[in-house]
Amino acid sequence: MTQTSQSPEPPYIRTPGGVAALFVAALLLIVMGGFLTLVQSELMARPEPKDFAVFQTWLGTVLFHIGLAFLAAGLVIVGVRAMLQQQTEALRAHRHDS
């Protein structure tokens, strides 16, 4: 029985499952934070803003920035995975040529 030497497919580096959750959470936080900030900005423009307007504006701003941080983290993870995949394929091609 002869065994043919087929070159196996290069290993595929999978993206962690939590990245999808980061992107979904980022979308929700950015939308919710932007909505809160925009809705309360009219009340903040008054000479004497109410306390709830100040709190909700700050809350919206914080949520928006957390959403941006989640988005940046997800993009960094996806970018690192893509670079690792390229390096793996290059290393495999180099070993195959040698």
Side-chain angles (χ1 to χ4, degrees), residues 3-96:
Q3 193 174 23
T4 59
S5 62
Q6 294 178 340
S7 61
E9 292 292 320
Y12 179 74
I13 299 173
R14 297 183 60 186
T15 306
V19 174
L22 276 176
F23 285 132
V24 169
L27 175 67
L28 293 174
L29 288 171
I30 288 172
V31 168
M32 191 178 354
F35 176 75
L36 278 174
T37 303
L38 287 175
V39 166
Q40 297 302 324
S41 64
E42 181 181 327
L43 295 174
M44 287 294 292
R46 294 181 180 174
E48 290 291 325
K50 304 269 188 193
D51 287 338
F52 72 88
V54 174
F55 171 73
Q56 286 187 353
T57 303
W58 273 103
L59 180 66
T61 304
V62 168
L63 289 177
F64 184 80
H65 284 95
I66 291 173
L68 287 179
F70 279 15
L71 179 64
L75 290 175
V76 165
I77 291 171
V78 169
V80 168
R81 191 221 59 87
M83 289 188 297
L84 285 174
Q85 184 66 42
Q86 287 178 348
Q87 292 297 318
T88 303
E89 291 170 2
L91 182 62
R92 182 167 170 76
H94 178 71
R95 282 188 181 175
H96 183 66

